[in-house]
Amino acid sequence: MKRAVYTRVEQFLCDDDFIRYVLDNTPDREAYWHSYLSENPQIRNAFQKAYDILLHLDDCNLLTPEQAQALKQRVFNTLYASAN
């Protein structure tokens, strides 16, 4: 699946496939996102920030507590949906 080139952290954080890649990685997801970064090196900073936010939600000072809670809920919903 070809997707638009994300330029903002928020775009990555709203993408269920990106959330699954960060938190429940598989070889297919790894290959896809590696290719995505190779084709779009200009987005590496936004990609890395979004990646770090997902891995460190409880310690993240880039989001308000409300934003962090909403993102956690989205993460749980995404992972729950992929498990069913």
Side-chain angles (χ1 to χ4, degrees):
M1 166 169 69
K2 195 75 167 167
R3 73 185 69 234
V5 176
Y6 295 158
T7 57
R8 295 187 338 263
V9 172
E10 302 82 29
Q11 292 171 300
F12 287 104
L13 296 177
C14 289
D15 186 310
D16 290 346
D17 291 329
F18 180 76
I19 293 170
R20 286 185 197 100
Y21 160 69
V22 174
L23 301 176
D24 188 26
N25 198 359
T26 65
D28 289 344
R29 288 184 189 125
E30 179 76 29
Y32 173 81
W33 288 102
H34 179 75
S35 173
Y36 184 84
L37 277 175
S38 294
E39 293 171 11
N40 306 289
Q42 74 280 11
I43 56 92
R44 188 168 299 278
N45 287 339
F47 177 94
Q48 191 61 52
K49 280 185 183 177
Y51 190 95
D52 290 344
I53 286 171
L54 286 174
L55 286 182
H56 303 100
L57 270 175
D58 291 328
D59 302 325
C60 181
N61 62 0
L62 298 174
L63 303 174
T64 66
E66 294 80 17
Q67 290 172 318
Q69 186 59 38
L71 182 55
K72 283 181 191 179
Q73 189 60 50
R74 180 176 177 76
V75 167
F76 293 135
N77 291 343
T78 297
L79 294 177
Y80 178 75
S82 67
N84 290 329

